[in-house]
Amino acid sequence: MTSRVLIKDLSAQDDGPVSVSGWVDTVRDQKKVQFVVLRDESGAVQLVNPRTTDADGVVVADEPATTISALSQGSFITVTGDLKHDERVKLGGIEIKLASVEVKSHAIAETPIAADSSLDKRMDWRFLDLRNPKQNLIFRIQTTFEHALRTYWVERDFIEIHTPKLMASASESRAELFEVDYFDTKAYLAQSPQFFKQMAQSAGLGKVFEIAPAFRADPSFTSRHATEFTSIDAEISWIDSHEDVMKLHEELLVAGFSAVKAKHGDEITALFDVEITVPTTPFPRIPLAEAKEIVKQRGYEVPRDDDDMDPEGERQIAAYVKETYDHEFVFLTDYASSIRPFYHMRHEGEPGLTKSYDLIFNGTEISTGAQREHRVDVLIEQATEKGLEPEELGFYLDFFRYGAPTHGGFGMGLARVLMLMLHQASIREVTYLFRGPTRLLP
Amino acid sequence: MTSRVLIKDLSAQDDGPVSVSGWVDTVRDQKKVQFVVLRDESGAVQLVNPRTTDADGVVVADEPATTISALSQGSFITVTGDLKHDERVKLGGIEIKLASVEVKSHAIAETPIAADSSLDKRMDWRFLDLRNPKQNLIFRIQTTFEHALRTYWVERDFIEIHTPKLMASASESRAELFEVDYFDTKAYLAQSPQFFKQMAQSAGLGKVFEIAPAFRADPSFTSRHATEFTSIDAEISWIDSHEDVMKLHEELLVAGFSAVKAKHGDEITALFDVEITVPTTPFPRIPLAEAKEIVKQRGYEVPRDDDDMDPEGERQIAAYVKETYDHEFVFLTDYASSIRPFYHMRHEGEPGLTKSYDLIFNGTEISTGAQREHRVDVLIEQATEKGLEPEELGFYLDFFRYGAPTHGGFGMGLARVLMLMLHQASIREVTYLFRGPTRLLP
């Protein structure tokens, strides 16, 4: 028996017997010859079966012809046959002349989604949607990107942690919290690993990372929000300021983008018409106040009462950065403490400003980072000022009562990075199974 | 300014000015000289400060002496000084003669846990417990182990998926399910990525992996159960039987153990008195029925009414395997279908037996694997037989109605592997922050 060959590896093989496995993309069941386009996780190939005729020229109902005639789209089959290189074959210049067809599983003859189906409908049938080569590529890119990040971390002695997602209290705002029945009490789903990656600093782990789910009971339906998302987190000790965090952050993105471009660049161009640019370092850094001035000079007044940016402002500053520095990324730095969590460190002598940043990629925020306040007295003061009860934060404040190094880090949404990297309109396109206020299925 | 050097890198440095950062392990504040043992994520080093005396030989209250006298255990400090190699120094043959001490954060002078504190008490103060070099090593081992697994997968074209943890229904038994308030409805926390990693097979992703949290509302208090745990999952298409899954599984463990032994072997021997053995392949495989016979012949009758093994039986069969094959691992195969989930494939012509296995490591089960049933009619039959409603499983059964390849995979508990690898008595010792029925803090 010949063992299975991935379709992408066929063209490098010599002509001769092969076995391939995959699902039926299309069948052209013609009178004199049958064609099947077979697809697997690596590509597509044409299978061909010339019909047998009897002495009178009448087509014979033999095998594999009968099986092929009965094939529905989506059925999973294993075939054997003779590989032939033939330049005239449009699909990769090869075809397989069939010897046998074994059906592993018949698909029902129904195609719930088509190329022009709505995103929502495609999500209903995500497992069929994912058979699309573009979708398949997205998750191979995801794999490469994450592995490059983790390799960067591991080579630099970062420790991988798995922080608990079940918590006794909120990790961020109390507003967007999922409550869980937990035996005789209540638990809450972690909105971020924030408290626990900071705990690693007091624990003396030095540099830590985690890629894991985070949960927000966010009722919004935008293209960039989900109730469950994959968060990329890192936290490091002994920093001097948020500049050290930004330096880590940009190096990490360079590692990720370099790996994606090297491994998938051509395919991305072919399928998404996108040229991956490995960003140059340092990324541009613009203090938020200055960014708002720049945006204003471009004719856009951010319609907010607080000191924050808004999505249109982020697009405007990104356009400015693209024009001025030809860069897809920009760190907006030094956000007002009024719009930042209590645990962001503030500038010495300028308590209205935090040592924090947002990272904007192609016009959309993908991450927030900061130096954290590690002095417990200052931390309590800032928490109280934000209306939090130090008692409720007791377990967290303990992390700092027993000593803590200076530290900082960031959290970054994986789906946002992929969405913007591939110029997609929604994180739903790059999320394996999206979760939103009205979506828990499949 | 000299930049920070990790303590483990000091011994390779020449004598001269250095800067190190870490936390205070001990202070010996003697009359003529002060000693501090400083610890960072990589090791410990002795700092020394000879006191200054005035013309009359009286000790002067100068710096850094005064700061050192006030140092509490656990305070995080950055020091500068002169590195000196000196064989007489017990701690690594080096010391640093102090020039300056900067306190980043004072620890309160209190030591809630000691070396002999109970495990429960240590978990209350996990961030202090983790400062212990043994605990620190555990998480560096975890990092190395996981990275080796992921590297194995990535090099073999596996795709990394992030399956949702919020689900509309149970993924395993309905008994141990956490319920979440989800806007106007209820959601459930995923007990495993089972359904969704199988979905990847129908989606044509081929080979997938995930390392992510899973949740079980399990009220038990054993040393091997948690309500939240890190699950290592893989699932592959186009297998012939569970044998293909076991082959993947053992290769993966060899990759993981090899990496751990290479990077941490000596340290593990020093701190845990454990010699890491890279397992040889193939691992022994024993059908469950045969295993029960062997155990019986050793004088142990499994006290269960069903066809399952029990923990003592697992220990017995592991002892047998150790004696007979000198192997720490054993696959127990072909479990009765009566004690396996509906989605395990059964043997052709022998529906009482499944194509499944449990993997036993040093006497404890760490994983269950199987070929899955991919034929939707058989799947419905088996689900119905188990008392499940095909309607409730609708979204899952759809994955197979539209075609699916043969496939199989396994789920493995990360903490169990680490516990058994390091001969620890409980998964609590190797879990960053354990979650159990009565533990949600810190």
Side-chain angles (χ1 to χ4, degrees):
Chain A
M1 197 195 126
T2 44
S3 63
R4 182 191 179 212
V5 180
L6 283 178
I7 290 172
K8 71 167 179 182
D9 296 330
L10 284 173
S11 60
Q13 289 224 348
D14 291 335
D15 285 2
V18 288
S19 173
V20 294
S21 295
W23 65 94
V24 174
D25 191 274
T26 51
V27 181
R28 274 190 300 143
D29 193 2
Q30 297 175 352
K31 199 163 176 187
K32 296 201 168 160
V33 60
Q34 298 171 309
F35 294 101
V36 176
V37 173
L38 187 76
R39 195 171 277 289
D40 73 5
E41 62 267 36
S42 73
V45 67
Q46 177 166 284
L47 315 176
V48 59
N49 183 49
R51 299 294 306 256
T52 324
T53 47
D54 63 16
D56 302 326
V58 178
V59 162
V60 179
D62 61 356
E63 281 302 338
T66 311
T67 299
I68 293 170
S69 294
L71 278 181
S72 52
Q73 194 192 335
S75 293
F76 279 70
I77 61 178
T78 292
V79 306
T80 61
D82 264 312
L83 175 68
K84 247 188 130 161
H85 287 73
D86 183 342
E87 280 180 8
R88 291 165 304 173
V89 180
K90 279 185 198 159
L91 194 57
I94 48 170
E95 64 178 11
I96 296 170
K97 187 160 170 282
L98 286 173
S100 75
V101 174
E102 188 190 352
V103 180
K104 294 290 184 180
S105 144
H106 282 286
I108 55 175
E110 202 184 86
T111 46
I113 53 167
D116 62 348
S117 293
S118 71
L119 177 54
D120 214 54
K121 181 101 187 214
R122 287 196 285 118
M123 286 198 293
D124 287 341
W125 298 95
R126 185 62 163 159
F127 64 100
L128 296 176
D129 190 39
L130 287 171
R131 291 182 185 172
N132 184 316
K134 280 176 82 163
Q135 299 294 341
N136 177 297
L137 177 57
I138 287 170
F139 293 94
R140 285 186 287 122
I141 293 166
Q142 170 174 294
T143 307
T144 301
F145 183 71
E146 290 186 54
H147 197 62
L149 265 48
R150 292 197 189 99
T151 301
Y152 176 97
W153 283 318
V154 169
E155 285 176 352
R156 282 156 189 84
D157 281 338
F158 280 66
I159 290 178
E160 175 161 10
I161 54 174
H162 299 287
T163 65
K165 306 312 163 197
L166 291 167
M167 298 179 64
S169 61
S171 45
E172 302 283 343
S173 132
R174 256 167 296 189
E176 300 182 344
L177 205 51
F178 283 121
E179 192 177 281
V180 184
D181 287 331
Y182 196 80
F183 303 99
D184 297 332
T185 180
K186 296 283 179 194
Y188 303 93
L189 293 182
Q191 297 156 304
S192 80
Q194 185 61 38
F195 290 176
F196 301 132
K197 64 181 183 168
Q198 287 192 258
M199 186 187 102
Q201 309 305 308
S202 306
L205 297 188
K207 297 178 284 188
V208 297
F209 71 90
E210 177 173 27
I211 300 180
F215 306 89
R216 303 270 167 108
D218 183 338
S220 67
F221 288 88
T222 78
S223 61
R224 5 175 257 294
H225 289 94
T227 53
E228 176 176 352
F229 62 98
T230 302
S231 182
I232 298 171
D233 280 88
E235 196 80 16
I236 52 174
S237 290
W238 301 111
I239 63 171
D240 289 325
S241 77
H242 51 321
E243 176 58 32
D244 294 324
V245 183
M246 289 189 277
K247 214 171 273 172
L248 163 68
H249 205 153
E250 62 193 9
E251 280 184 22
L252 202 56
L253 284 165
V254 167
F257 276 66
S258 299
V260 168
K261 190 180 178 72
K263 191 158 182 182
H264 310 289
D266 295 343
E267 248 183 308
I268 292 172
T269 306
L271 292 183
F272 289 96
D273 197 20
V274 169
E275 190 71 39
I276 298 292
T277 305
V278 178
T280 53
T281 55
F283 295 2
R285 289 141 165 79
I286 305 178
L288 185 67
E290 197 181 315
K292 292 184 84 164
E293 269 310 309
I294 291 167
V295 163
K296 199 171 169 182
Q297 278 162 25
R298 291 172 65 93
Y300 180 70
E301 188 91 40
V302 176
R304 288 184 71 116
D305 291 335
D306 63 18
D307 291 312
D308 211 351
M309 212 33 144
D310 72 341
E312 178 54 29
E314 286 167 357
R315 276 188 287 274
Q316 291 278 346
I317 196 71
Y320 165 82
V321 167
K322 182 79 187 154
E323 290 158 18
T324 314
Y325 305 106
D326 192 27
H327 211 285
E328 297 180 330
F329 292 87
V330 56
F331 287 117
L332 301 183
T333 67
D334 305 282
Y335 279 66
S337 46
S338 58
I339 52 167
R340 288 305 215 190
F342 74 96
Y343 52 75
H344 280 198
M345 184 178 266
R346 298 174 184 183
H347 280 279
E348 208 66 46
E350 206 168 354
L353 290 183
T354 59
K355 293 182 161 188
S356 76
Y357 66 86
D358 273 9
L359 177 56
I360 314 294
F361 173 33
N362 281 341
T364 297
E365 183 221 315
I366 57 170
S367 176
T368 295
Q371 177 166 5
R372 323 299 186 182
E373 182 53 65
H374 64 284
R375 296 161 298 185
V376 70
D377 48 337
V378 183
L379 203 52
I380 291 172
E381 202 178 293
Q382 292 182 183
T384 310
E385 182 203 296
K386 292 273 182 191
L388 300 170
E389 303 285 345
E391 293 77 47
E392 206 189 329
L393 290 169
F395 78 95
Y396 171 70
L397 294 171
D398 275 345
F399 300 161
F400 306 95
R401 289 195 174 102
Y402 295 84
T406 59
H407 66 284
F410 65 85
M412 178 166 69
L414 171 62
R416 288 200 186 182
V417 177
L418 292 172
M419 168 182 81
L420 296 158
M421 177 195 280
L422 300 171
H423 299 192
Q424 296 297 290
S426 167
I427 54 167
R428 292 164 180 75
E429 295 284 1
V430 299
T431 305
Y432 183 64
L433 282 167
F434 174 79
R435 291 294 182 250
T438 57
R439 179 161 295 275
L440 277 172
L441 280 171
Chain B
M1 197 193 128
T2 44
S3 64
R4 181 190 180 211
V5 180
L6 283 178
I7 290 172
K8 71 167 178 182
D9 296 331
L10 283 174
S11 60
Q13 289 225 348
D14 292 334
D15 285 0
V18 288
S19 172
V20 295
S21 295
W23 66 94
V24 174
D25 192 274
T26 50
V27 181
R28 275 190 299 142
D29 194 2
Q30 300 175 350
K31 199 164 175 186
K32 296 200 168 160
V33 60
Q34 299 170 309
F35 293 101
V36 176
V37 173
L38 187 77
R39 194 171 279 289
D40 73 6
E41 62 266 36
S42 73
V45 67
Q46 177 166 286
L47 314 176
V48 58
N49 184 49
R51 300 296 305 258
T52 325
T53 45
D54 62 16
D56 303 326
V58 177
V59 161
V60 180
D62 60 354
E63 282 301 340
T66 310
T67 299
I68 293 170
S69 294
L71 278 181
S72 53
Q73 194 191 336
S75 294
F76 279 70
I77 60 177
T78 293
V79 306
T80 61
D82 264 311
L83 176 68
K84 247 187 129 161
H85 287 71
D86 182 345
E87 280 181 8
R88 290 166 304 173
V89 180
K90 279 186 197 158
L91 194 59
I94 47 169
E95 65 179 9
I96 296 171
K97 189 162 168 279
L98 287 174
S100 75
V101 174
E102 189 190 351
V103 180
K104 293 292 184 179
S105 144
H106 283 287
I108 54 175
E110 200 186 85
T111 45
I113 52 168
D116 62 349
S117 294
S118 72
L119 177 54
D120 214 53
K121 181 99 187 218
R122 286 196 285 119
M123 286 199 291
D124 286 341
W125 299 96
R126 184 62 163 160
F127 64 100
L128 296 176
D129 189 39
L130 287 171
R131 291 182 185 173
N132 184 317
K134 279 176 81 164
Q135 298 295 340
N136 177 296
L137 177 57
I138 287 170
F139 293 94
R140 285 187 286 123
I141 293 167
Q142 170 175 293
T143 307
T144 301
F145 182 72
E146 290 187 54
H147 197 63
L149 265 49
R150 293 198 188 99
T151 301
Y152 175 97
W153 283 318
V154 169
E155 284 175 353
R156 283 156 188 83
D157 280 340
F158 280 65
I159 290 179
E160 176 162 11
I161 55 173
H162 299 286
T163 64
K165 306 311 162 199
L166 290 167
M167 298 180 63
S169 60
S171 46
E172 302 283 343
S173 133
R174 255 168 296 190
E176 300 182 344
L177 205 50
F178 283 120
E179 193 178 281
V180 183
D181 287 331
Y182 196 80
F183 303 100
D184 297 332
T185 179
K186 295 284 178 193
Y188 303 94
L189 293 183
Q191 297 157 304
S192 81
Q194 185 61 38
F195 289 177
F196 301 131
K197 64 181 184 167
Q198 288 192 258
M199 186 186 102
Q201 309 305 307
S202 306
L205 297 188
K207 297 178 284 187
V208 297
F209 72 90
E210 178 173 26
I211 300 180
F215 306 88
R216 302 271 168 107
D218 183 339
S220 66
F221 287 88
T222 79
S223 61
R224 5 174 258 294
H225 289 94
T227 53
E228 176 176 352
F229 62 99
T230 302
S231 182
I232 298 171
D233 280 89
E235 196 81 16
I236 53 175
S237 290
W238 302 112
I239 63 171
D240 289 324
S241 76
H242 51 320
E243 176 58 32
D244 293 324
V245 183
M246 289 189 276
K247 214 172 273 171
L248 162 69
H249 204 152
E250 61 193 11
E251 281 184 21
L252 203 56
L253 283 165
V254 167
F257 275 67
S258 300
V260 168
K261 189 180 178 70
K263 191 157 183 183
H264 309 290
D266 293 344
E267 248 183 308
I268 292 172
T269 306
L271 292 183
F272 289 96
D273 196 21
V274 169
E275 190 71 39
I276 298 293
T277 306
V278 177
T280 53
T281 56
F283 294 2
R285 289 143 164 78
I286 305 178
L288 185 66
E290 197 182 314
K292 293 184 83 164
E293 269 310 309
I294 292 167
V295 163
K296 199 169 167 184
Q297 279 162 23
R298 292 172 65 92
Y300 180 71
E301 188 91 41
V302 176
R304 288 184 71 115
D305 291 334
D306 63 18
D307 292 312
D308 212 350
M309 208 39 140
D310 73 340
E312 178 54 28
E314 286 167 0
R315 275 188 288 275
Q316 290 278 346
I317 197 70
Y320 164 83
V321 166
K322 183 77 188 154
E323 290 158 19
T324 315
Y325 305 106
D326 191 25
H327 211 287
E328 297 180 330
F329 291 88
V330 56
F331 286 118
L332 300 183
T333 67
D334 306 281
Y335 278 67
S337 45
S338 57
I339 52 166
R340 289 305 216 189
F342 73 97
Y343 52 77
H344 281 198
M345 184 178 266
R346 299 173 183 184
H347 280 279
E348 208 66 46
E350 205 167 357
L353 290 184
T354 58
K355 293 181 162 190
S356 76
Y357 67 85
D358 273 10
L359 177 56
I360 313 295
F361 173 33
N362 280 342
T364 298
E365 184 220 315
I366 57 170
S367 176
T368 295
Q371 176 165 6
R372 324 300 186 182
E373 182 52 65
H374 64 283
R375 297 160 297 186
V376 71
D377 48 335
V378 183
L379 203 52
I380 292 173
E381 203 177 292
Q382 293 182 181
T384 310
E385 182 202 298
K386 293 272 182 192
L388 299 170
E389 303 285 345
E391 294 78 47
E392 205 189 329
L393 290 169
F395 78 95
Y396 170 70
L397 294 170
D398 275 345
F399 300 161
F400 307 95
R401 289 196 174 101
Y402 295 84
T406 59
H407 65 284
F410 66 84
M412 177 166 69
L414 171 62
R416 287 200 185 182
V417 177
L418 293 171
M419 169 181 80
L420 295 158
M421 177 195 281
L422 301 171
H423 299 192
Q424 296 297 291
S426 167
I427 56 167
R428 292 163 179 77
E429 295 283 2
V430 299
T431 305
Y432 183 64
L433 281 167
F434 174 79
R435 290 293 182 251
T438 56
R439 179 162 296 273
L440 276 172
L441 280 170

